[in-house]
């Protein structure tokens, strides 16, 4: 549940509040602030609060601000009051999402501020009623919900995803609205928080996608896909029992997903009979098969991509090492098992990448995956003096509020991240999966943490695609 601050005054605020209380008041926790006590709603949910004071008084407004507030809506009659409120809010938090009716002058651009021009909104609405003007999406098509526009909140599993890595079956992302502009998306177009997605597809499917976009936890491996698949090579891989137990443990923490175990290169009749009679494989929770014809993991995955909606591939060390180049080009999340088992995990770790935007792009997966498994989140900042790292840390702190998760941050300028990772216990590393760089021989990129991390065998690792 998000905590939303509403700062209200005037006739527009009253109409806005009427709509809110009738349609959406039970969806979030609210803090209402208004100088007009008659404007404040009655019979609020238990988590909500009301305050009666002048919001332009910065000292009073600061007293009620808390880190749990993720969004703020400012609807005031006086634009000078809006400006005063904005500066108070922004002085408190750089990452707070602010939506404001009216436009105020800014010294610097603010990506977390959305200003709505009231005159423009009214004129656009009047223009829609003008004769011989094309209708907007709500009045064209079948009118059955096959066209939908959805805004992407912070923490959404769709935020910072490339359009090409999102599985779109029976629906499509046909346009993205960003900063009052239209983007016709390519496969490589990255979806950002606050983007509005124009979706076209079957109405029931779009409603399902709407809830997935708005949901802030429990979605992974969505939007990459729904199926979780363990590939196990019976000829070369060892410790089948260990990996089966870890796979079942992991899958039990996911919601509404499908699991399949695929065995390739069967070696003898005894092994086949063991699989057919294995209690974990016949508990009704998973499906499994033995592949007799495909001997190459690459050929098998290529065949499965046609018939399945693969969102996560599980592999042990041998298969990952042998098919590294192919796997890292798939654009599908990969979980590589380590010597430490998944069921003993206590933490997930992110080593802040050299390209700090990559830390933001994997953030929703970091929080979603960690929340589902009940893991604490640790950020390892190898060079805390870099300004970009500070920005990435601020972003993670903001997302932590959305997911109601605590962060542990380890700052250092001396201990090499690879050595640090290699000494960790009960920890899983989550790292960005790039199509270039990570699969090169480590001798050519000794300073590339992501590349070197791919060669670690002790801790399990989750590789998250950030491009296609």
């Amino acid at each position: 549940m998000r905590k939303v601050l509403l700062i209200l005054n005037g006739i527009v605020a009253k109409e806005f509040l009427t709509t809110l209380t009738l349609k959406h008041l039970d969806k979030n926790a609210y803090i209402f602030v208004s100088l007009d006590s008659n404007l404040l709603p009655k019979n609020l949910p238990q988590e909500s609060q009301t305050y009666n004071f002048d919001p332009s008084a910065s000292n009073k407004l600061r007293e009620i601000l808390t880190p749990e507030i993720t969004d703020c809506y400012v609807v005031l009659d006086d634009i000078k009051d809006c400006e005063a409120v904005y500066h108070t809010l922004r002085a408190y938090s750089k990452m707070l999402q602010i939506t404001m009716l009216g436009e105020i002058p800014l010294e610097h651009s603010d990506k977390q501020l959305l200003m709505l021009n009231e005159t423009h909104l009214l004129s656009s609405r009047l223009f829609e009623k003008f004769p011989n003007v094309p209708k907007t999406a709500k009045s064209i098509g079948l009118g059955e919900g096959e066209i939908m526009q959805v805004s992407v909140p912070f923490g959404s599993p769709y935020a910072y995803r490339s359009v090409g890595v999102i599985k779109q079956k029976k629906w499509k992302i046909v346009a993205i609205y960003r900063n009052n502009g239209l983007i016709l998306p390519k496969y490589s177009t990255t979806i950002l928080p606050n983007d509005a997605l124009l979706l076209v597809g079957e109405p029931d499917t779009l409603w399902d996608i709407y809830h997935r976009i708005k949901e802030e936890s429990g979605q992974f491996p969505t939007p990459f896909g729904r199926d979780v698949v363990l590939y196990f090579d019976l000829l070369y891989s060892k410790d089948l029992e260990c990996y089966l137990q870890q796979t079942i443990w992991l899958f039990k923490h996911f919601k509404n997903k499908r699991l399949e175990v695929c065995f390739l290169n069967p070696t003898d009749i005894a092994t086949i009979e063991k699989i057919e009679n294995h209690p974990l494989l016949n508990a009704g929770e998973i499906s499994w098969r033995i592949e007799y014809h495909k001997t190459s993991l690459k050929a098998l995955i290529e065949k499965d991509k046609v018939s399945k909606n693969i969102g996560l591939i599980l592999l042990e060390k041998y298969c990952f090492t042998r098919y590294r180049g192919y796997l890292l080009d798939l654009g599908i999340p990969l979980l590589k098992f380590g010597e430490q088992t998944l069921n003993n995990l206590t933490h997930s770790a992110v080593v802040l990448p050299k390209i700090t935007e990559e830390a933001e792009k994997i953030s929703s997966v970091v929080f979603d995956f960690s929340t589902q498994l009940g893991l604490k989140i640790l950020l390892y900042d190898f060079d805390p003096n870099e300004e970009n790292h500070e920005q990435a840390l601020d972003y993670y702190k903001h997302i932590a509020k959305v997911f109601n998760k605590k962060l542990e941050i380890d700052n250092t300028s001396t201990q090499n991240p690879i050595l640090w990772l290699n000494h960790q216990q009960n920890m899983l590393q989550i790292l960005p999966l790039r199509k270039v760089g990570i699969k090169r021989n480590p001798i050519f990129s000794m300073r590339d943490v992501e590349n070197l991390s791919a060669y670690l065998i002790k801790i399990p690792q989750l590789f998250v695609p950030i491009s296609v």
Side-chain angles (χ1 to χ4, degrees), residues 134-147:
K135 302 297 182 181
T136 58
K138 60 180 177 292
S139 11
I140 64 174
L142 301 175
E144 297 177 354
E146 77 282 1
I147 302 174

Side-chain angles (χ1 to χ4, degrees), residues 73-74 108 115 119 142 155 159 212 234 242 275 324 328 338 347 356 360 376 379 392 396 413 437 443-444 450:
Y73 289 79
V74 182
H108 306 286
M115 294 187 288
T119 303
L142 301 175
R212 293 184 188 181
L234 294 169
C242 175
I275 292 173
R324 183 194 312 270
L328 298 179
H347 287 74
T356 54
E360 296 181 358
K376 299 176 182 178
L379 299 183
Y396 268 75
S413 58
I443 197 171
F444 296 113
E450 289 70 48

Side-chain angles (χ1 to χ4, degrees), residues 328 353 355 358 432-438 448 450-451 466-467:
L328 298 179
I355 305 174
E358 294 180 354
L433 173 55
R434 299 194 301 258
K435 297 194 71 171
V436 295
I438 201 170
D448 189 330
E450 289 70 48
N451 183 73
I466 58 174
S467 61

Side-chain angles (χ1 to χ4, degrees), residues 155-161 216 220 359-369 395-396 399 403:
S156 168
Y158 285 71
Y160 292 111
R161 301 274 73 83
E216 292 165 351
F220 183 81
E360 296 181 358
K361 290 183 176 182
I362 66 172
S363 60
S364 60
V365 173
V366 171
F367 282 93
D368 193 346
F369 184 85
Y395 183 83
Y396 268 75
I399 298 297
F403 281 90

Side-chain angles (χ1 to χ4, degrees), residues 407-425:
L407 284 177
E408 297 178 15
I409 301 175
D410 193 341
N411 295 322
T412 181
S413 58
T414 57
Q415 188 176 14
N416 184 283
I418 301 301
L419 297 178
W420 178 82
L421 286 167
N422 211 34
H423 286 86
Q424 297 309 302
Q425 298 291 329

